[in-house]
Amino acid sequence: MDLGIAGKTALVAASTGGLGLAVARALAAEGVRVAIVGRRRDRAKEIVAELQESHAGTAGFDAVAIEADLATPEGIGSAVEQTVADLGPIDILVLNGPGPKPGAAAALSSEEIASAFDLLVKPQHALISHILPGMRERRWGRIVAIGSSGVVAPLPNLAVSNTGRAALAGYLKTLAAEVALDGVTVNMVLPGRIATDRVAELDQAAAKRRGTTAHEIELESRKSIPARRYGEPAEFGAAAAFLCSAPASYITGVALRCDGGLIRSL
C-alpha cells in the first residue's frame, strides 16, 4: 500500500529509543522527513546517520537530529522551530514521553498525582498548541500519540501512568472531533507488551517485588497474551505509520491496540 506521505514532515517526540524510534523508522521507510528528538544528542545523530544510510535515494526522505528536553516549554519551542527550519512545516506529530515510575494507587502522594499531568499531558498539549494551527491552515495533519494498554484496562502498580495516559486520551478524543473538518486526524496507538527497554525495566521491577527473575515474569506475561509472545517494535511502528497515512484519512478519535490480543474487551 502506498501510504501517500512521502515528503511530509514529522516530529517524533522521544524518538532516540523505544517505541518512538520504531515509529520514526517506519515513517522514514515511507519517505517522510523525520525529526529525531530527544535529550541524547549523540544517540539522535547516530539514528539520523543510520536512517540516511538505509534510505539513501528514497524519494522525499530526510532526517535531522534535535537535542531537546520536551518536558520544558523551552525545549518544546526549540524542537518545533528547528524542525520547521530544517525540514519544513510539520505535517505529522507523534506524541511520546517517558514512562513514570511504578507505584500503587493507594500510596500516591499529591506530588505524584501532579507529575502524571506534568509528564503525560502538559508537554503533549504544548506540542499540539505549537503545531496544530499550521495543520489546520494547510487542511492536512496527523497527530498520533503513543499510549498504553492501561488506557483501556489500568495496569497494576502503574497508577501514575494509568492516571496521566487516561487524561491524555480524554483530551485527544475531544480534540479529534473539533479538528476533523480541517483534515486533521487525532489518534492513539496502545501498545501491550512490546519488547523495548521500558518493558524490560517493568519486568525487572516486578521480579524484584515478587522475589523472582525477569525471565520468569516474561514467561508468565506471555501466557496472558493470546499471541504468546511480546510484540516487536517494528510491528508497533507499522501500525502507527498507517494512522499517519493518507489512506487513514477517515480514521480519527480511535485508540488502536497493538497488543497481540492482551486486552480481552471489545
Side-chain angles (χ1 to χ4, degrees):
M1 179 183 292
D2 180 4
L3 296 191
I5 48 178
K8 298 289 188 184
T9 294
L11 187 159
V12 185
S15 50
T16 56
L19 297 179
L21 176 54
V23 177
R25 283 174 169 156
L27 291 174
E30 296 298 325
V32 175
R33 298 192 294 261
V34 180
I36 302 297
V37 183
R39 288 175 289 186
R40 298 182 289 171
R41 176 187 295 180
D42 291 344
R43 179 59 181 143
K45 289 182 176 180
E46 289 174 1
I47 292 166
V48 167
E50 167 207 312
L51 294 176
Q52 289 175 337
E53 181 178 357
S54 300
H55 303 296
T58 300
F61 167 74
D62 197 0
V64 63
I66 299 176
E67 180 186 14
D69 183 354
L70 297 180
T72 68
E74 297 78 15
I76 289 169
S78 174
V80 172
E81 289 175 8
Q82 189 173 339
T83 300
V84 173
D86 293 347
L87 300 176
I90 298 168
D91 306 294
I92 297 167
L93 172 61
V94 179
L95 300 170
N96 188 27
K101 293 180 180 179
L108 284 183
S109 66
S110 58
E111 290 78 11
E112 287 172 318
I113 284 290
S115 75
F117 293 88
D118 291 340
L119 286 172
L120 299 172
V121 181
K122 287 184 178 180
Q124 290 79 353
H125 171 264
L127 279 166
I128 290 171
S129 296
H130 276 82
I131 296 168
L132 180 61
M135 291 180 172
R136 299 181 83 174
E137 183 179 344
R138 295 187 300 276
R139 303 195 65 78
W140 200 99
R142 300 288 184 267
I143 298 172
V144 175
I146 297 175
S148 164
S149 60
V151 170
V152 178
L155 299 166
N157 206 52
L158 286 177
V160 173
S161 177
N162 292 335
T163 300
R165 296 190 195 281
L168 178 63
Y171 163 65
L172 294 177
K173 178 63 174 177
T174 307
L175 180 66
E178 295 173 357
V179 301
L181 195 58
D182 300 316
V184 179
T185 66
V186 184
N187 295 294
M188 298 187 81
V189 188
L190 309 183
R193 308 294 288 181
I194 309 293
T196 62
D197 290 343
R198 166 67 172 170
V199 168
E201 290 172 3
L202 293 175
D203 284 352
Q204 187 62 52
K208 185 176 180 180
R209 287 195 313 271
R210 294 169 52 181
T212 185
T213 66
H215 179 64
E216 288 299 320
I217 294 295
E218 180 178 342
L219 290 177
E220 182 179 313
S221 294
R222 287 182 178 183
K223 292 177 182 178
S224 69
I225 303 169
R228 292 296 188 269
R229 64 179 178 87
Y230 283 9
E232 293 299 325
E235 294 174 308
F236 182 90
F242 177 73
L243 290 179
C244 296
S245 74
S249 59
Y250 204 56
I251 301 173
T252 195
V254 308
L256 174 66
R257 302 173 197 171
C258 182
D259 66 0
L262 175 65
I263 302 301
R264 302 305 177 94
S265 62
L266 291 174

